[in-house]
Each structure stands twice: as structure tokens, then as C-alpha cells.
Amino acid sequence: MKERFNGPLERVDSCCVRIPKSYKAGMRVDGMIFANERLMEAIREGNAADQVANVATLPGIQGASLAMPDIHWGYGFCIGGVCATDPLEGGVISPGGVGYDINCGVRLVKTNLFWNEIKPHVRELVKALFYSVPSGVGRTGKYKFDAKETRRLMGQGPQFVVNRDCGVPKDLEYTEANGFIADGDPDQVTDHAVKRGSDQCGTLGSGNHFMEVQVVDAVVDAEVAKVFGLELNQVCVMIHSGSRGLGYQVCDDALSLFRNLDKKYGIDLPDRQLACAPAESPEGKKYIAAMRAAANYGFCNRQLLMQQAREVFAHVFGRTWQDLEMHQLYDVAHNIAKLEEHTVDGKKKKVWVHRKGATRAFPAGHPEVPEQFRHVGQPVIIPGDMGRASWVLVGAPGSMEKTFGTTCHGAGRAMSRTAAVKAAGGKRIDKELESRGVIAMASSRLGLAEEQPNAYKNVDHVVEVVHDADLSRKVARMRPIGVIKG
DNA sequence: ATGTAC
């Protein structure tokens, strides 16, 4: 019953193993999985490694089919996968390589509060967040946009909501791509997708999405932490959400459009779920335009979630969010495909970097890193599980050499959702979390069981690999104290 | 991840 990868995993160095392209017919490049010995058993379990090999067959793939240490099975492509394709070599774009939740990502908001001052107020704070910030499957929120406005929102990105007093211009500066993915086309987003998104902007959703109150638990790199404005015991808010029903529908629409395109373009797919189109084809361009528009919706969603968190903090602590210095450290996507310049075999190329459960991690000096951080590198935000920890990392030079500027995105599941519910055996996960010092509120008891800490790998172990591989370096460890979930 | 199968 339990699937297992029995193919070759050749150790390259202490952080990386190779699946040679001889493993499977049609592989154009090797597979490369970033993992140390401690994580190998988790990598061999399930069939995510086989998915890494499948992705290596895609036309125009560059370098290697890559996977991060938080790899696990996903639709077609594994979660934790990175695939770069060259459009000038027939390189493809694939919805499965982005994921159903387009521009799922993470935002970290700082405060000037410290653990000791908020300790007596955590329950009140979590309650207030839970009742103010909509969460759960299909939930809608207080921000309603008609179809025309929703398309305008996708055409402008979070500038659209900032113009409506939901945030300040500085928020945009500290968002990946300044919160705006250019060259999208909201008119390529179907009416159906627009309708699903019109009243969901500013809602959390379900699954692994959350809003957490965290404290800085350890500062590993004092210099970078100082540049990022983080110090020990400081209170922060981490937000993990994506593009809700709108992004889901954009992905679904593209998968319908891409059905049977393999025949049209003569692409041999080892798995139907790898459905793709040449990036330069009409179908490829259509998906890219819609995906970019949906990505802008994702940034707007997190902007509105942040704004609601600011309002709740202001209410609970009786000061304005500006007085509480609730400024954004950064917002970064981990489900997206972007056209970026990278050096492949000594040549500069523009490639479609698919990051599915993988985070951009540009190093110091990269022009896309906000000016204030450019001398140290891009902030990377890694959500862990709700009982143990999350991390703030900084992009490192190795990412440009090895992973198309990419690092991990989280802890990675260690149990399937059904296995996690079974393991909980009806136990109240919220009570268990409370005994560990975390106040949790969720709209679904079962959902909470699926997300229990045990269902995930230890994020510290995942982060250790990307740190050692020089993809991104440890800056600060964050400890959860309050969490709201769908 | 997702109006957890129109």
C-alpha cells in the first residue's frame, strides 16, 4: 500500500542527492534533491522523488529538476520542487508546476511589542483575530468587489487596496516584486474565477493557511536581524495564505485548456498531471497572463489580511498600528512561475522558474532585493508548524549557483492529512497546543488535527539543509504563541 | 490548496 522510491539517490555532498537521468526514459536532466542523511528516510517514503524524475522529462528544462528538503507529493510536480525552462528552447509552462494555490505565500509583520507585555493578553488577542479575520473553506470577507473592480485589483496589485486606505505605500516596497507582477492580463481570468474571488480577498482560507502571533525565539545572525529590524522576544505576526478560490479556478481553467496539448505539441508526458504548453504558445501565454493576474490577487489578499491584523492589534492594545510600528518585514510567494535571468552553463538566459512550495531567496546585491536589505540579501519567510517554530532566513549566493535563486518553503508534511486525523485519534489538538504555550483557534476541529505539529517534519531540520547548502542562511527562529486557522 | 466531487 505504502509507496516508496526505490530508484537511485546518489549522494553529491552532505546536502544534496542526485537522481541520474539514466533512471527513467525521457529524462533530459538529472534530478537533484537537497537533503542531508537525516532527511533521507522521509525522501524515500512516498513518490515525490519519482515526481522529481518526471519533471526532468519536460521540454526545455535547464540545469536539473530540483527539489528542496521539504519535498512531498503534489499534483504532478512535487511540493518543494523547482523547474526552470528556457522558452527559446521550446521550454514549457505548467500549471502543476505552480500549484492550485497561485501565489500562496507568507508575510511577516513586525511590532514594537515584546513577549512579556503581551503575555497576559494572548487569549484576548487570538480571540479578536479569530472573530475579525475570516477563515475556513469558502469563507467570504468584508471587502466586496464587483467583477470590474476585481479585474482592476488584479491589474494593479496591492496598490489598488492601498489606494483604498488598506495599508501604506511602504508595504508595497517590502513585498516581492513590489507587490506587482507585470504583464498579467485580468481579462484572461474567466468570469467564473473572478466571481469566486470577488468577495474572498482578505480571507485566510483553510488547510495549512494561518495567521500566527509569534515571538523571536532566537537570533542566529545578529547583524542581519538588526538590518531586518528583529530582536529577541519581539512580537511578530506571520500570515500564510494565497489566492483563494480565484487562483484555484485559474489553475483549473488552465488544466482544462491544456488537456491534450501534449499531442498538439508532441510532448511525451510520463504523468497526465504534468500537463503543460510551450511558454511561447498561445495556450502558454494565456495561462501566464491569467497566472500573473491571480498572483497579484494573492498579494492583495495578504495585504488585506495584514490590514485586519493591524486593526485588531490597535483595538486590543488601544494604540494605532502606526504606534505599534506594525511594519511589514517582507512578503514572498512560494507558488509561482516567474521569467528570470539566470546563468546556466556559463550563459545568461531568461528562464521560466517554476517554484511550487519553494521560495525565492535572492542574495545580497540582487537588484530585486529592497534597497534597505540589498547589502545582506532578501528576507525569506519559512512557516513551520504551529507547535514548534517558523524561521526568517536571508537569501544566500549558493541559491543563484544551484537552485535558480530558490530555497525551501516550510517544514513539509510528514503525514498525509488522513494519517494525521487518524494519529490525532479524536484528541483535542487545541488543548495539546495550549499545554505547549500556544493558543489556537480554528473553524474546523478536523482541520486542526490535519495540521497538528506531528504531521510535519521538524522545520529546524529542513532549514539546516538550506543553510548548509548556502541557499539561504538562518537569521531568526520564531516561536508561535497564538494561531488562527481555517 | 479547493464552494474537500456539478
Side-chain angles (χ1 to χ4, degrees):
Chain A
M1 181 71 199
K2 192 153 193 175
E3 307 201 43
R4 229 184 126 73
F5 182 71
N6 287 314
L9 289 166
E10 304 170 355
R11 186 147 288 286
V12 176
D13 58 35
S14 61
C15 303
C16 185
V17 291
R18 175 194 289 118
I19 304 172
K21 61 181 176 184
S22 57
Y23 164 61
K24 187 177 268 199
M27 283 176 74
R28 296 165 195 260
V29 294
D30 291 339
M32 289 284 207
I33 303 176
F34 285 82
N36 58 15
E37 275 306 309
R38 172 150 61 183
L39 287 171
M40 283 317 290
E41 187 45 30
I43 306 284
R44 286 196 185 90
E45 274 175 26
N47 44 13
D50 211 56
Q51 294 188 310
V52 175
N54 289 344
V55 169
T57 69
L58 292 177
I61 187 166
Q62 303 292 304
S65 170
L66 301 162
M68 298 297 126
D70 49 334
I71 173 178
H72 56 105
W73 185 89
Y75 181 91
F77 294 61
C78 68
I79 292 156
V82 184
C83 161
T85 61
D86 184 346
L88 304 180
E89 293 176 22
V92 293
I93 189 93
S94 176
V98 172
Y100 266 92
D101 192 4
I102 296 165
N103 192 7
C104 187
V106 200
R107 176 174 299 213
L108 191 71
V109 189
K110 299 177 278 186
T111 77
N112 59 10
L113 297 163
F114 285 85
W115 171 223
N116 57 358
E117 26 178 346
I118 78 150
K119 209 169 175 174
H121 309 290
V122 177
R123 187 175 300 276
E124 180 193 356
L125 184 59
V126 170
K127 245 185 193 170
L129 286 169
F130 185 72
Y131 291 113
S132 297
V133 182
S135 66
V137 186
R139 277 291 292 277
T140 57
K142 65 175 176 176
Y143 308 99
K144 318 266 185 202
F145 305 107
D146 62 24
K148 206 170 167 181
E149 287 172 318
T150 305
R151 284 208 164 84
R152 200 171 294 145
L153 173 149
M154 285 188 277
Q156 293 177 17
Q159 181 72 60
F160 179 91
V161 293
V162 167
N163 288 347
R164 282 155 184 75
D165 289 328
C166 294
V168 291
K170 239 185 163 30
D171 300 336
L172 307 176
E173 195 183 326
Y174 297 107
T175 303
E176 175 173 340
N178 295 310
F180 182 67
I181 307 294
D183 301 321
D185 183 359
D187 290 334
Q188 295 300 332
V189 177
T190 61
D191 291 344
H192 185 196
V194 169
K195 194 165 186 189
R196 286 186 71 173
S198 65
D199 53 3
Q200 285 194 327
C201 212
T203 65
L204 212 42
S206 65
N208 60 4
H209 290 166
F210 65 76
M211 185 181 286
E212 266 184 26
V213 184
Q214 306 175 339
V215 294
V216 178
D217 185 50
V219 170
V220 179
D221 186 325
E223 185 209 330
V224 177
K226 192 168 182 188
V227 175
F228 286 176
L230 296 174
E231 55 185 301
L232 198 63
N233 292 323
Q234 183 183 354
V235 174
C236 295
V237 182
M238 189 174 281
I239 297 164
H240 178 204
S241 188
S243 52
R244 308 291 285 104
L246 185 144
Y248 180 97
Q249 195 59 45
V250 166
C251 179
D252 221 31
D253 291 340
L255 288 170
S256 306
L257 178 69
F258 282 22
R259 190 169 303 141
N260 299 325
L261 280 191
D262 51 335
K263 288 184 194 75
K264 179 174 175 183
Y265 292 111
I267 299 169
D268 205 6
L269 293 178
D271 178 353
R272 308 289 311 165
Q273 296 186 350
L274 295 176
C276 59
E280 298 285 307
S281 68
E283 296 89 350
K285 285 179 174 169
K286 208 174 159 77
Y287 168 65
I288 287 165
M291 181 267 295
R292 284 170 159 165
N296 289 331
Y297 180 98
F299 288 130
C300 290
N301 185 34
R302 292 195 290 276
Q303 178 71 30
L304 292 178
L305 286 165
M306 171 173 72
Q307 203 53 28
Q308 291 171 96
R310 283 168 166 171
E311 286 162 12
V312 169
F313 269 70
H315 182 255
V316 169
F317 293 104
R319 295 154 68 187
T320 66
W321 69 260
Q322 290 89 348
D323 283 342
L324 294 166
E325 297 179 49
M326 293 186 74
H327 306 306
Q328 182 174 325
L329 170 64
Y330 204 60
D331 178 304
V332 64
H334 53 227
N335 275 17
I336 199 164
K338 294 176 95 177
L339 190 61
E340 292 173 359
E341 188 175 85
H342 287 279
T343 304
V344 185
D345 300 328
K347 267 192 297 205
K348 278 192 175 172
K349 289 180 165 191
K350 278 212 157 179
V351 292
W352 276 104
V353 183
H354 297 68
R355 297 190 180 97
K356 181 188 191 174
T359 314
R360 198 186 75 173
F362 285 164
H366 196 289
E368 281 205 45
V369 178
E371 204 181 335
Q372 197 196 332
F373 305 142
R374 204 167 296 153
H375 61 296
V376 293
Q378 177 210 304
V380 173
I381 304 161
I382 305 297
D385 66 71
M386 57 192 172
R388 282 174 285 194
S390 293
W391 280 88
V392 175
L393 312 177
V394 63
S399 73
M400 297 311 276
E401 294 151 21
K402 304 182 213 175
T403 56
F404 298 97
T406 311
T407 189
C408 64
H409 90 305
R413 290 200 82 87
M415 282 181 208
S416 70
R417 294 190 174 279
T418 44
V421 171
K422 203 181 240 181
K427 262 191 322 226
R428 286 283 300 260
I429 301 298
D430 53 349
K431 299 287 177 210
E432 199 162 289
L433 284 165
E434 195 172 331
S435 70
R436 295 164 67 161
V438 184
I439 306 289
M441 290 183 78
S443 35
S444 154
R445 174 105 40 105
L446 233 51
L448 203 62
E450 290 176 356
E451 292 296 314
Q452 62 181 295
N454 291 344
Y456 286 90
K457 295 181 203 172
N458 186 335
V459 71
D460 293 353
H461 298 171
V462 170
V463 162
E464 186 177 270
V465 174
V466 295
H467 176 97
D468 290 345
D470 197 41
L471 307 182
S472 51
R473 293 195 327 269
K474 296 179 195 177
V475 177
R477 187 177 192 267
M478 313 296 291
R479 182 178 87 244
I481 56 171
V483 52
I484 68 165
K485 289 190 68 75

